[in-house]
Amino acid sequence: MSLENLRGQIDAVDTELLSLFERRMELSRQIAEVKSTQGLPISDPVRESEKMLAVSGRVQPALTYHAHTLYDTLFELSKSYQRAASPLPPLMLGEIRGAVRDCFPTSATVACPGVEGSFSQLACERLFAYPNLVHFKSSTFDKVFAAIENGLCDYGVLPLENSTTGLVGKIYDLMKNNYSNFRIVKSVRLGVEHNLLAPPGVKLEDVREIFSHEQALRQCAGFIDSLGTPGVEIKITPCENTAIAAESVAGSDRKDIAAIGSHRCIELYGLNCLAKNIQDEAANYTRFICISKQLEIYPGANRSSIIMVTPNTPGSLSKALRRFYALGLNLIKLESRPLFENNSAKVMFYLDFECSPHSEAFARLLDEMKVFCEEFQYLGSYTEVV
């Protein structure tokens, strides 16, 4: 039998499948109406399990797995279609509409980790024309979250990830612990150029110890290694912040130390620049997020972030991700963080995706994720300054 003939038979089967699919979805819609009048939930795990068991006994053993995949997809499509056909508006619509603002503020009280001269401060100045900065020294960034939660500051700016060294794990852990107490309202991608800074009189060949934030030290690992010679070892000492490292070095009497920090720190702390742009990757960017206590959505918002914890069962993440594809939403970031609670191993997922928060697909996604996930938090919709 020829390939063309076989494809013709598949086309005929597909025509039957589409007709049966339309009929099945219409029946699903009618079932949703009946459930609505009886106050029953759309999801019925018991019925799904019974149906899957019945399917297993009606196909060849070699096709059992594929039949399970087919019906698992059909179940999810049916529930999504039923929710979309509901006469009730998506639950998130009211919250989203209430969060719309006219324009991003030019001035505000902003919590900033570290001290003056940090890269976080440079990010603040990219976001706000006239920021009233409140600096917090903290090795875990927790004071920035606390300042927002307690109303001490209007906004906070935090480093989230770097193009060279990846995510800032401490921020993700804090988001996990505080995700009910903050929202992301904007983000900025900042080009990061590191410099080796030392007190006056210290030469490059004198340096035996370098201070900086752990991320900066990792981003400049190649340069640091190049300073070492046989018999001479360069010690690296992590600090809470690059600017804190510069401040500490400037206040020391030692003549064999240096700090890795921003160009701003040269004048601020009276340091000399021993080497410029020492990061290993020329295109070195850090992404910072701007957070607030309340949900605020500004014009042009096209990027959204969510946190979810899925059931600890096979395929749960796949089912969640399928919703993005079904609704035509472009997923641009997926990070995972392990959770160990009550002797049960779970995983928290952080996701970024592209979509207007005012679209129907966006509201439908949030409503469906709330039903599907064990824990779910919408972190906000915003634009990213590049």
Side-chain angles (χ1 to χ4, degrees):
M1 189 174 291
S2 68
L3 178 62
E4 289 75 14
N5 185 276
L6 291 170
R7 285 176 172 171
Q9 292 186 53
I10 281 186
D11 290 342
V13 171
D14 285 343
T15 299
E16 294 182 49
L17 280 176
L18 285 173
S19 177
L20 292 171
F21 175 71
E22 287 183 337
R23 182 181 173 189
R24 192 184 197 284
M25 295 298 277
E26 172 57 23
L27 290 170
S28 294
R29 186 192 64 78
Q30 293 178 28
I31 288 173
E33 290 181 352
V34 174
K35 285 184 174 181
S36 178
T37 60
Q38 297 179 5
L40 297 175
I42 288 176
S43 181
D44 188 345
V46 174
R47 165 66 175 169
E48 291 179 20
S49 297
E50 292 173 348
K51 187 70 175 177
M52 199 69 83
L53 184 61
V55 167
S56 300
R58 295 170 62 184
V59 296
Q60 302 172 27
L63 294 176
T64 299
Y65 168 78
H66 303 286
H68 283 177
T69 302
L70 170 63
Y71 271 83
D72 190 50
T73 302
L74 283 173
F75 294 156
E76 297 304 318
L77 289 174
S78 295
K79 288 182 286 190
S80 177
Y81 186 64
Q82 289 172 342
R83 294 188 188 101
S86 171
L88 298 176
L91 297 175
M92 289 296 301
L93 277 182
E95 184 177 354
I96 292 169
R97 289 169 179 168
V100 173
R101 303 289 188 270
D102 292 332
C103 60
F104 194 73
T106 57
S107 178
T109 302
V110 185
C112 182
V115 295
E116 194 172 359
S118 68
F119 287 104
S120 293
Q121 178 181 351
L122 301 183
C124 289
E125 294 171 354
R126 284 282 304 278
L127 291 166
F128 299 91
Y130 311 103
N132 176 21
L133 296 178
V134 180
H135 295 281
F136 290 95
K137 288 186 179 181
S138 174
S139 60
T140 62
F141 304 102
D142 58 330
K143 291 183 179 178
V144 173
F145 281 92
I148 300 303
E149 182 179 358
N150 297 326
L152 182 61
C153 295
D154 303 316
Y155 301 96
V157 172
L158 295 159
L160 187 65
E161 59 189 354
N162 178 265
S163 58
T164 302
T165 53
L167 61 89
V168 182
K170 292 179 180 178
I171 298 296
Y172 280 86
D173 291 337
L174 283 167
M175 289 199 299
K176 175 190 68 178
N177 297 330
N178 295 275
Y179 61 64
S180 296
N181 302 320
F182 79 96
R183 296 292 183 270
I184 302 175
V185 298
K186 215 170 187 65
S187 66
V188 59
R189 193 174 66 180
L190 184 74
V192 174
E193 297 180 349
H194 290 300
N195 306 279
L196 188 66
L197 312 176
V202 177
K203 299 179 182 179
L204 185 61
E205 57 267 26
D206 300 330
V207 175
R208 296 294 180 270
E209 185 173 4
I210 297 176
F211 296 79
S212 196
H213 186 268
E214 59 181 357
Q215 285 273 336
L217 293 169
R218 288 168 56 197
Q219 292 163 27
C220 303
F223 173 82
I224 295 173
D225 288 343
S226 72
L227 296 179
T229 59
V232 176
E233 182 179 353
I234 305 298
K235 181 182 178 181
I236 58 172
T237 301
C239 297
E240 294 94 336
N241 183 271
T242 55
I244 291 175
E247 183 184 50
S248 177
V249 166
S252 174
D253 294 330
R254 291 176 57 182
K255 298 301 181 182
D256 63 346
I257 60 175
I260 294 175
S262 71
H263 190 271
R264 181 81 62 88
C265 292
I266 298 174
E267 183 177 349
L268 278 172
Y269 301 111
L271 298 170
N272 290 335
C273 182
L274 302 183
K276 296 181 178 179
N277 299 340
I278 62 173
Q279 64 275 1
D280 295 340
E281 298 292 335
N284 186 37
Y285 293 92
T286 296
R287 182 175 172 233
F288 293 81
I289 54 173
C290 179
I291 64 174
S292 71
K293 189 172 183 178
Q294 305 298 328
L295 179 64
E296 299 174 5
I297 300 176
Y298 293 95
N302 59 358
R303 181 172 185 154
S304 297
S305 299
I306 62 174
I307 281 177
M308 67 180 188
V309 177
T310 59
N312 190 18
T313 55
S316 59
L317 176 61
S318 175
K319 290 178 182 179
L321 298 183
R322 261 182 272 174
R323 286 163 167 75
F324 290 89
Y325 177 74
L327 293 169
L329 304 180
N330 185 30
L331 186 64
I332 56 178
K333 183 178 180 62
L334 173 63
E335 295 284 353
S336 64
R337 301 292 286 178
L339 300 176
F340 299 98
E341 300 173 350
N342 300 322
N343 297 320
S344 176
K346 298 181 181 180
V347 180
M348 179 197 82
F349 296 97
Y350 175 97
L351 303 92
D352 286 350
F353 59 98
E354 293 177 329
C355 183
S356 168
H358 310 293
S359 69
E360 180 183 349
F362 178 82
R364 282 180 56 190
L365 174 76
L366 297 193
D367 275 4
E368 289 191 16
M369 297 296 269
K370 279 187 172 183
V371 173
F372 175 77
C373 298
E374 288 192 357
E375 297 178 41
F376 174 81
Q377 185 65 50
Y378 165 49
L379 299 182
S381 298
Y382 50 94
T383 56
E384 181 161 295
V385 179
V386 179

